[in-house]
Amino acid sequence: MSNWKGENLQLSIFGQSHGPSIGMTLTGVPAGYSINMDALQAFLNRRAPGNDPYSTPRKEQDKPEFQSGLLDGQTCGVPLCAVIHNTNARSADYANLWECPRPGHADYTAQIKYGKSHDIAGGGHFSGRLTAPICVAGGMCIQWLNEIGIQITGHISAIGGVKDIPYCSDGVNPNVTFPNSRFPVYDQNSSEQMRERIACAKADGDSVGGIIECIVTGLPTGIGGPLFEGLEGRLSQVLFGIPAVKGVEFGSGFDAAAMLGSQNNDEFIMDNGKVKTLSNNAGGLLGGITNGMPLTFRVAIKPTPSIAKAQKTVNLRTMENATIEVKGRHDPCIVPRAVPVVEAAAAIVLFDAILPKS
Amino acid sequence: MSNWKGENLQLSIFGQSHGPSIGMTLTGVPAGYSINMDALQAFLNRRAPGNDPYSTPRKEQDKPEFQSGLLDGQTCGVPLCAVIHNTNARSADYANLWECPRPGHADYTAQIKYGKSHDIAGGGHFSGRLTAPICVAGGMCIQWLNEIGIQITGHISAIGGVKDIPYCSDGVNPNVTFPNSRFPVYDQNSSEQMRERIACAKADGDSVGGIIECIVTGLPTGIGGPLFEGLEGRLSQVLFGIPAVKGVEFGSGFDAAAMLGSQNNDEFIMDNGKVKTLSNNAGGLLGGITNGMPLTFRVAIKPTPSIAKAQKTVNLRTMENATIEVKGRHDPCIVPRAVPVVEAAAAIVLFDAILPKS
Amino acid sequence: MSNWKGENLQLSIFGQSHGPSIGMTLTGVPAGYSINMDALQAFLNRRAPGNDPYSTPRKEQDKPEFQSGLLDGQTCGVPLCAVIHNTNARSADYANLWECPRPGHADYTAQIKYGKSHDIAGGGHFSGRLTAPICVAGGMCIQWLNEIGIQITGHISAIGGVKDIPYCSDGVNPNVTFPNSRFPVYDQNSSEQMRERIACAKADGDSVGGIIECIVTGLPTGIGGPLFEGLEGRLSQVLFGIPAVKGVEFGSGFDAAAMLGSQNNDEFIMDNGKVKTLSNNAGGLLGGITNGMPLTFRVAIKPTPSIAKAQKTVNLRTMENATIEVKGRHDPCIVPRAVPVVEAAAAIVLFDAILPKS
Amino acid sequence: MSNWKGENLQLSIFGQSHGPSIGMTLTGVPAGYSINMDALQAFLNRRAPGNDPYSTPRKEQDKPEFQSGLLDGQTCGVPLCAVIHNTNARSADYANLWECPRPGHADYTAQIKYGKSHDIAGGGHFSGRLTAPICVAGGMCIQWLNEIGIQITGHISAIGGVKDIPYCSDGVNPNVTFPNSRFPVYDQNSSEQMRERIACAKADGDSVGGIIECIVTGLPTGIGGPLFEGLEGRLSQVLFGIPAVKGVEFGSGFDAAAMLGSQNNDEFIMDNGKVKTLSNNAGGLLGGITNGMPLTFRVAIKPTPSIAKAQKTVNLRTMENATIEVKGRHDPCIVPRAVPVVEAAAAIVLFDAILPKS
């Protein structure tokens, strides 16, 4: 089910790309939390398709309308429900998908699972558009985490092989944030090369993938737990819920596999009366529990599967080989728009982990 | 909590490294499934410490005693409970951990979370020993998956930077399995280099990490679902529950981030009346749902944090810097023993996903 | 939380009595189930306040608008979300409740739980109006149960002490149903006395309670399970979620407490090759599992707490004793309108119990 | 599944009546809670069969052995697992149950659900013996509730139609408790008549049922919530998990159905600066939330289905009518032994509801 259940919170994402509306219900938020609607809209705008050369020309307002859970801009303890109306549906674009599934998309597997009842238009419930309600839920959680000093910062770590500086290499960027940036990169030079790579792919009718790195500062120590209670598993369950995510790693991640214990272990030191570690290969987590260092993780995003280039596919009616050129409005690179989604996903899990029982 | 809840199954792992016993309860398995106890023991022996130069000399029988859920070697619909008695406890080794936490271990974070009530001996509930009950649960699931033609094969993909051939590079190894092997590697040459790397680290009082690749064949199409119902998230939640796992990726994983859409997309073809894909960068999953190709994923294992080398730590009583040399019996590389644990974790999730409601 | 989680289904009820809308999300319904919208509306109309002398004059359309989960009137496997817009809100009626809580209502306890963030207007999330979305979810489940021959029939068993004939006393009424009746009673004479009792209470500015008996026929054997998996517990959890329910009993229920084992045991007999029982004191359940006899249960509904008579209360601002006469539009007896709610609640649990995993 | 999931706690009951052991795992209890093992054993002894004329002669020690979760008699944050070894199994008594199911038992329905894999001996997982691990879990919760001033007191409200004085009729018995009593009744005269009723049934080869009333004092206000979060539903779900329970009511319960609103409403008054109610027909719950008055509920227990009298049954092999006289060792009345089980069940739910998130 498109439901997630944390320790306190439950999130249900509903809607189809071309249905009346998409939205979310979030239950378990205690009464008394304020929402800054302008800040929430600004956050949603980072995910919304824009005038950038690298995003789809489909325009949607992505304006959430709260049906429940608020009183005078504050949570009242009742499940939060927000809907975003779909205004710009063009189902005709998708009529052919029943016969010829698009490579890299869920067209084929969704048909197998749901049969002819599946709503295939625009990918239905599998559409990247369903990340908008994740951002509604996560955008609120980000605000509530900020109030207690917890900051979540995502940046584009790589696009199409072009890499940004990693977080905290030589301490250059420990506190850099990117307020409302639609293309957050530490290094200006990398940023330009990434944009070129996207432009190049677009010109070719192709697409590129990338990596998003996310840093969470201000987390208290002691959050998480052993085995299936570890924050790594809880975060990854939601992060992999974002379409196109194919890998998740924490701290030194896959690089740790090639290191010696003496290299990868983070030695403890006292720093002004506080316990810290000299390095942060653990990504802020020991035994699944926060150790007071920044929580760091990286998420691999595959290239947008919708490309204009001719691709081999099959015709499921005739059961013969076929060729497809994906029409419609698509992003040559979804990585920039995915940054707030990754932040939102992490915020939902972390707010749940920190929240006292309501 | 050390509980995992799937769609049908619930798994609870209990016990401390030096308590009376460790074990598991697994509920939701329908009545009528047989267990081959000899095969289960053989599976558990792959995880148990052995006479290998790369595993700890601590010897435990790891013999599960079923308390509940079986009648004449068959499940009877009642929760399965199995305990493994702890026979070789040496708590004295760990007395100092309260003061000086070991780098890379949960000693520090567990104290923060549980306070003085924490059972620190041998890592308590955070010990790698707790993976034995995961193997009890997963070893049964592997048997039940095998019965319906589903095969889970893990191999050591890398140790300390030495790499094995990847799965299915040029179709060399599509059906290789490693029955009861304690060091499963495709390439004999790589295998020897890996062993040398371990020996070298051991001689140095150090340790090495590695990567485990896992291939699942025979899965039906249509298993999984959108968003949080996707198999990636469900598998990773349990995989990250294995201590020392720092990264999980599916199919081309992090490599996908540097690819073009036209490279990463798996084109569909008809193959003897069946829909297949020409490549398998998706790792068998589209939209979180199995597409009939082998499910492939890789798991990064950090180097064993227990090393004999002197490391900086802090004394939590005096709040001063200190030095630690970790005594006790430890593996210079846990990757080989972790292979069955990764297989077990995957089997639990996949059996749950395939199981009709009991 | 206002969430219920079954084996397959999850139901979230959202909204406040005087907010923009109330509604529900129901996840876990497989693709391919049809909904007869006219029949659903007819079912909802049984709960809606009407022109009857015994229901509130507040008029609401209770017309669900589906946002998600449907394609051409059929479920498509995506979470179902339906909202019912609130059109007839009169918040001014409720301004005083902060100071002087109404006896028998949640005004006092909700303030304690939620503080000043609580939405008190019309009872907020505690309003009986929130049973409308329960009826949306349950009304669909009733249709799907009917398709496989399962029939749920509630009738008014008692109002204000006036009793109807019990189900199947002397086999008079085994198959009586009450299609779209707003006052379902077996015995016409009892029905008239009940209406008089209501009229009498209304004239007095008072209210009356009652009992609803519910019979479910056509259930397959073998549904349910031991201990917390028993249908009694699963049904009662949802039935007690209906405001005003104060008791639930199955089969002979509380009467069983005064019986001998030889009286209460239902003896087995063969009936045309089928196993049946001579009596049905078990209410169709043995060991929490259906035995093929009709499932029967009874639900006690307390008298509407909103009465015009003067009652003692306290002023929470001054912390002094006070008097209250509850204004506003209220039902002198909610039992008739509660019948479809009880049917809906049971249908949700039973459809979940019968549903194969999606 | 025989699992219960609360807000923080999860309870899994495992074991078969004649298997190696029965037991429970309870997860979610924070570190640092002490257990008085002697008091726990004394509590378990109230449930254990004794030398009383009204309980089965089968003797079991019911001595829990904790495998996990404790360190020096204190919880350490790890799942609690305790087993009770089965020592007095006599499977031969039950060989015939496959063919001729006992009326009032789960023999028939369990066969349908689990088929030939079902462990029928002694009722298997359906045995009343499985209430022992419920008492292990609940006995600990009772201790932890007591520490914060919450007292749970059950008494026998009726047996075979003989009634005890109800709680607090005329304020006679507001604070009476029954430490370690195996037959807790307020009124000595009623107590004797109840014992006579049991002796009479026993002499006849018959059995009697009864009602258990339970009072919880000291609960803070504000515990519980609306709809499915209400304490009524959460308590009843676990109470109905006790075999033989056929009804649950809160406060005035089914009697409320015959009352006027003006009679059933509990008027608020100020009492020494505290808000109280003049009566307690609500049983301490308004809107599913505690209001500071004692929580009161009553549970209907059916007569023991195992009786020596000849009863009609069917032979499931020949599919013909048959007769059965239930042999073996059985209680003519399980109500006295069920009192601690009801207290335990309530304690588990209430401790969960009160517990801050671990």
Side-chain angles (χ1 to χ4, degrees), chain C residues 1 109 113 206-207 209-210 224 229 236 246 248 250 257 259-262 265 267 270 282 286 303 305 311-312 321, chain D residues 1 109 113 206-207 209-210 224 229 236 240 246 248 250 257 259-262 265 267 270 282 286 303 305 311-312 321:
Chain C
M1 280 162 282
T109 53
K113 185 172 173 73
D206 213 327
S207 64
E229 193 182 344
S236 69
K246 296 302 280 184
V248 173
F250 293 84
M259 291 161 80
L260 295 169
S262 57
N265 278 354
E267 295 180 292
M270 295 304 308
L286 287 172
Q311 298 176 86
K312 290 182 184 139
N321 288 318
Chain D
M1 283 159 279
T109 52
K113 186 172 173 71
D206 215 326
S207 65
E229 193 182 345
S236 69
F240 275 116
K246 296 303 281 184
V248 173
F250 293 83
M259 291 160 80
L260 294 169
S262 57
N265 278 356
E267 294 179 292
M270 294 304 307
L286 286 172
Q311 297 177 87
K312 290 183 184 138
N321 288 320

Side-chain angles (χ1 to χ4, degrees), chain A residues 1 206 229 262 267 312, chain B residues 1 206 229 262 267 312 321:
Chain A
M1 281 160 280
D206 213 327
E229 193 183 345
S262 56
E267 295 179 292
K312 291 182 183 140
Chain B
M1 283 160 280
D206 213 327
E229 193 182 345
S262 56
E267 294 179 292
K312 290 182 185 142
N321 288 319

Side-chain angles (χ1 to χ4, degrees), chain A residues 4 9 11 43 134-135 137-143 145 150-154 212-217 219 223 231-242 245 248 250 295-299 338-354, chain B residues 228:
Chain A
W4 168 80
L9 301 178
L11 176 65
F43 180 74
I134 294 179
C135 286
M140 295 187 289
C141 293
I142 285 173
Q143 294 186 15
L145 289 169
I150 297 167
Q151 188 78 31
I152 300 184
T153 305
I212 293 165
E213 186 176 52
C214 206
I215 295 100
V216 188
T217 56
L219 280 170
I223 305 298
L231 279 189
E232 293 96 332
R234 285 150 69 179
L235 282 161
S236 69
Q237 193 204 1
V238 177
L239 291 168
F240 276 115
I242 303 170
V245 170
V248 173
F250 293 83
L295 171 67
T296 67
F297 62 90
R298 288 160 34 106
V299 172
V339 176
V341 185
V342 167
E343 291 174 355
I348 293 164
V349 175
L350 293 172
F351 183 64
D352 174 65
I354 277 170
Chain B
F228 315 122

Side-chain angles (χ1 to χ4, degrees), chain A residues 139-189:
Chain A
M140 295 187 289
C141 293
I142 285 173
Q143 294 186 15
W144 301 327
L145 289 169
N146 285 351
E147 281 174 21
I148 51 172
I150 297 167
Q151 188 78 31
I152 300 184
T153 305
H155 74 110
I156 300 171
S157 176
I159 280 183
V162 179
K163 292 185 184 172
D164 191 14
I165 306 167
Y167 172 68
C168 232
S169 67
D170 305 309
V172 179
N173 44 20
N175 297 309
V176 176
T177 58
F178 305 92
N180 293 333
S181 167
R182 290 177 62 90
F183 207 92
V185 181
Y186 290 137
D187 181 56
Q188 190 55 34
N189 194 35

